[in-house]
Amino acid sequence: MKLFCLLTLFFTLTIQAQFQINGIVNDSKNKPLPFATITTSDNNNTITDVDGKFVLHSLTNIPSFTVSYVGFTTKTITVLNNKKFYSILLSEKTDNLKEVVIANENPALAILRKVIANKNNNNPQKKLNNFEYKTYNKLIVTANPDSIDGRIDSSAAYKDFNKKEINIDSSDYKFKEIISKQHLFQTEKVSQYQFANNKLKETILGSKMAGFKQPIYEIIAFNLQSISIYDTKYELFETKHESPISNNALADYSYKLLDTVAIKGRNTYMIYFKNKKRRSNRLEGVLYIDQENFAVAKAVMRIKGVLDISGIHEFEYVPSEKLWFQSNTTFKIVKGKNDEDIKILGGTIQFDADAEEDYETRKKVASDFTYVLSESNNFDIHYNNNPSVKNPALYIEIKDDASKQPETFWNKYRKDSLDLKGQKTYQLLDSLSISKRIEKRLGSGRKIINGYFPIGPVDLDLKKIISYNNYEGFRLGIGGITNDRFSKGFRIEGYTAYGTKDGVVKYSLGGGALLDKNTNTWINGYYTDDIREIASTVFAVDKRVFKIYDPRPINISTFYHYTTWKTNLQTKIIPKTEAVLELSRNYVEPKFDYLFNLNGKLYSSYIMTTAMLSIVWAPFSDFMQTPTGRNESDKRFPRFTFQYTQSLPNVLGNDFTFGKIDFKTEYEKNYLNGQKTSLLLQGGYAMGDVPITHLYNTAPNNLTKETVIQRITFAGRNSFETMYFNEFFSSQYIMFQVKHGFDRIRLLRKVRPSLVLVTRMAWGNMDHPEQQVGPTYKTLNKGFFESGIELNKIYKGFGLGGFYRYGPNQLLRFEDNIAAKISYVLDLGL
């Protein structure tokens, strides 16, 4: 038995052994030659990257390899024993390159025009009515141990002439020891892709993630690169670029014909492309174009910036369909030139900043050697077989038993057997996860980010513990909701709170039952006795946002008391939406000097029985069906929220007849260099007899104080910082906000603020102002405008901002139009 195990181990090591050489290709001026072709005698080809570097793998020793580049003399290199790195210089040709020549035109452009003209004939999603295939994917976070020095460094620090202190740095040594035995992270999945009715759906049949019994679905669904090379917008690591073969590509890219090479027995043009408009993070690479049908036979896509990102698409030619169909994809991320720490894959990997705080030469750390590698292999491909696609609106569906597949399942689908390093990764990370309770702590961490702290079967609501406003004073309370440990099909939730200033207890109690797990459909019922800010807009489908503090309510003094019975239905049954349908009866009592005049009858309190439909639609997002329900796997913008509220006359004592329409549109764009642009368009229209408590105030956030210093408060997220509380009310309004945040700027060693430019504007009007008796206010019919600058995260999350009010509603005193704000951004590192 021992002999058998030994032979098995030897065989495993033998089949994993590979011949590998590295090198760099330069011209005579020692400048790197990107995308030079490296060819071996056994037709094992590769190309250099944008820095002229290459890695050549072979299952057997090779006697030589050739290096070719357009306009340069081809060179054959003899492989020497024990030599693993080759520095190669190519000399320029003196004669003309024999290539496709079209008078007065770059030949690469002529070829690209034919590629674009023939796209529909070469794109599987256009040429084929339907198809399906399976994919095995493996993603690892690892490093090459041979590139790590691994020495134990020591330095002597003399405190006096008789004593010295020795500081030992063994971090590189420990890192090399770890990475020699295992990867830092590893995950595998087997998927079935089905294309029908112009939609591509992925069904995950099996998933396995080192250290986790239940995989992290966000990582499984992470979009590393476009599935199709023919997409108009090519996506590489969550960033979309104009495709080099899009209809408008010739205006955005420069092209160069490099060579003619054979792929899968068919001759192809090798064309280099580079985006000529973008200075940083621009897409470049090489396209291999079939000389007969002008299809893409292989593609290498590359971005070099704060991260060095590459994606390779390989294809097999299908004679029966006269089509190149994708067979393999490879995606890799290594560290680029970054001045800030960068976290990706949900914080699974962090690339540390290049610059040190003391500006001294930086010692290399683990992330300098770490890289992410994802490889996918397609198999079991069927064309025009009319596959049966369930739930086609979903982008990804994960089978309930995907994380429970036995080892026989994985051995069936793996292209190569899992090597000893991969096996060790699962063993060590699974053991570490259990001993450190990583999976449980991750689950708790997610709940804390959303404002809950799990205690057994109950998640304690952190938002209910303490807050402050001018009416209640300090609001002290406790609240929570039951979790899956209590029940997966039922939940109970509630809270109670006490105001130290008003001396009144508030509370809420409710519960819900799960009707359908797949669509996250719940029916709920609640009773609430509490207070709320007047004229505030609340969308029922808005996601809960947890903040350590909520800045606006601190300075609010005008609230109304309400007691409510309500029942609602929450569901995601409509594709790409989440909806709430609600019925409620509300007793409302304003807690400030106010009366509502309805046809001469004055109301100091009133009953409102309403029906409400709230829905958020994310047409550009991708949604994932998991064993625990339906989630938004890839949040994209714009997204739209609509809410309609209608009072129900003569139902449960309702006093008023009215309707309200509310909407908002959000757009965000994140850039890989740390910048971010966000847009918000929001409005509302109240019709009928509506008290001021349920109208609109457009979120003011400025105090009525004499000086700017006295008015300093915390900044809100989407509030008007120069608009005074209760200054404006509207029965219809529209507001628009633009924000652009720049990457953090180093001012001092520990002072690195993020500059954000903000502009807000709003217009509104008030119908039937005679109905609102008591408060003095203005309307927004002339518009309200403010702009400002925020310096966020100056130190420990704190920042400063300044805003200026201008336009028709500008005030007479200059200082009254200025607002200074304190900001706080909590960086949770996820």
Side-chain angles (χ1 to χ4, degrees), residues 20 79 104 134 178 180 195 311 326 388 412 454 516 583 659 715 731 739 777 809 813:
Q20 175 180 314
V79 177
N104 301 321
K134 290 186 176 70
I178 292 172
S180 298
F195 176 79
Q326 188 162 275
S388 176
K412 176 182 176 181
D516 183 65
L583 297 174
S731 58
K739 283 186 176 183
Y777 60 88
N809 274 297
R813 289 203 319 163

Side-chain angles (χ1 to χ4, degrees), residues 174-186 208-213 418-439:
K174 291 178 180 178
F175 182 64
K176 184 170 184 176
E177 284 287 296
I178 292 172
I179 211 64
S180 298
K181 298 176 183 177
Q182 66 173 89
H183 302 302
L184 300 177
F185 180 72
Q186 178 175 277
K208 192 173 185 180
M209 188 172 291
F212 296 90
K213 293 181 180 178
L418 199 65
D419 60 15
L420 290 178
K421 196 170 182 179
Q423 295 173 29
K424 204 71 173 177
T425 302
Y426 281 127
Q427 295 170 6
L428 295 177
L429 290 186
D430 288 350
S431 175
L432 179 66
S433 178
I434 294 172
S435 63
K436 299 292 185 181
R437 300 188 305 160
I438 291 176
E439 199 162 5

Side-chain angles (χ1 to χ4, degrees), residues 97-102 105-108 110-111 257 260 269 291:
L97 172 71
K98 292 180 180 180
E99 59 181 27
V100 178
V101 177
I102 299 177
E105 184 174 31
N106 178 352
I111 295 169
L257 180 61
T260 56
Y269 299 114
Q291 293 186 17

Side-chain angles (χ1 to χ4, degrees), residues 378-614:
N378 299 341
F379 59 95
D380 196 14
I381 304 172
H382 301 279
Y383 312 99
N384 294 322
N385 64 330
N386 295 313
S388 176
V389 184
K390 297 180 180 179
N391 299 321
L394 294 172
Y395 179 68
I396 298 176
E397 183 172 0
I398 302 176
K399 292 293 186 181
D400 288 350
D401 61 349
S403 62
K404 303 173 184 176
Q405 298 290 3
E407 196 63 23
T408 53
F409 170 90
W410 294 104
N411 292 334
K412 176 182 176 181
Y413 289 115
R414 286 177 180 135
K415 183 179 179 181
D416 300 308
S417 298
L418 199 65
D419 60 15
L420 290 178
K421 196 170 182 179
Q423 295 173 29
K424 204 71 173 177
T425 302
Y426 281 127
Q427 295 170 6
L428 295 177
L429 290 186
D430 288 350
S431 175
L432 179 66
S433 178
I434 294 172
S435 63
K436 299 292 185 181
R437 300 188 305 160
I438 291 176
E439 199 162 5
K440 182 178 180 181
R441 290 164 63 186
L442 178 63
S444 299
R446 286 183 172 185
K447 290 184 177 182
I448 291 172
I449 290 172
N450 290 318
Y452 292 102
F453 185 82
I455 302 177
V458 176
D459 294 338
L460 183 67
D461 193 340
L462 300 177
K463 292 183 69 174
K464 302 298 183 184
I465 296 176
I466 186 170
S467 60
Y468 181 87
N469 62 67
N470 276 340
Y471 179 78
E472 294 177 286
F474 283 102
R475 178 180 169 119
L476 308 175
I478 188 171
I481 183 171
T482 58
N483 55 39
D484 287 352
R485 293 183 61 181
F486 173 81
S487 172
K488 293 184 178 180
F490 298 92
R491 62 189 181 197
I492 301 172
E493 58 183 302
Y495 67 83
T496 183
Y498 175 78
T500 58
K501 189 174 181 180
D502 68 342
V504 177
V505 175
K506 296 89 178 174
Y507 61 94
S508 177
L509 184 64
L514 180 64
L515 301 182
D516 183 65
K517 181 184 70 173
N518 290 333
T519 58
N520 300 85
T521 301
W522 288 79
I523 186 167
N524 308 290
Y526 304 92
Y527 177 78
T528 304
D529 187 325
D530 206 341
I531 64 170
R532 179 177 294 165
E533 177 192 0
I534 69 169
S536 56
T537 302
V538 178
F539 290 91
V541 290
D542 273 355
K543 296 295 182 184
R544 173 189 171 98
V545 178
F546 172 61
K547 301 177 181 178
I548 292 180
Y549 71 97
D550 196 359
R552 285 195 65 256
I554 291 176
N555 302 301
I556 297 173
S557 57
T558 47
F559 290 83
Y560 65 89
H561 169 246
Y562 68 98
T563 56
T564 296
W565 289 95
K566 69 179 180 182
T567 182
N568 64 38
L569 183 72
Q570 296 174 285
T571 185
K572 297 179 181 178
I573 192 170
I574 303 174
K576 301 200 173 188
T577 68
E578 181 173 355
V580 176
L581 178 62
E582 183 173 280
L583 297 174
S584 65
R585 182 186 186 273
N586 309 275
Y587 171 78
V588 179
E589 181 184 6
K591 308 304 289 185
F592 60 101
D593 186 16
Y594 172 75
L595 296 172
F596 181 67
N597 180 11
L598 179 60
N599 301 322
K601 183 178 179 180
L602 300 178
Y603 288 82
S604 59
S605 62
Y606 31 85
I607 294 173
M608 308 173 81
T609 306
T610 60
M612 180 267 291
L613 173 65
S614 185

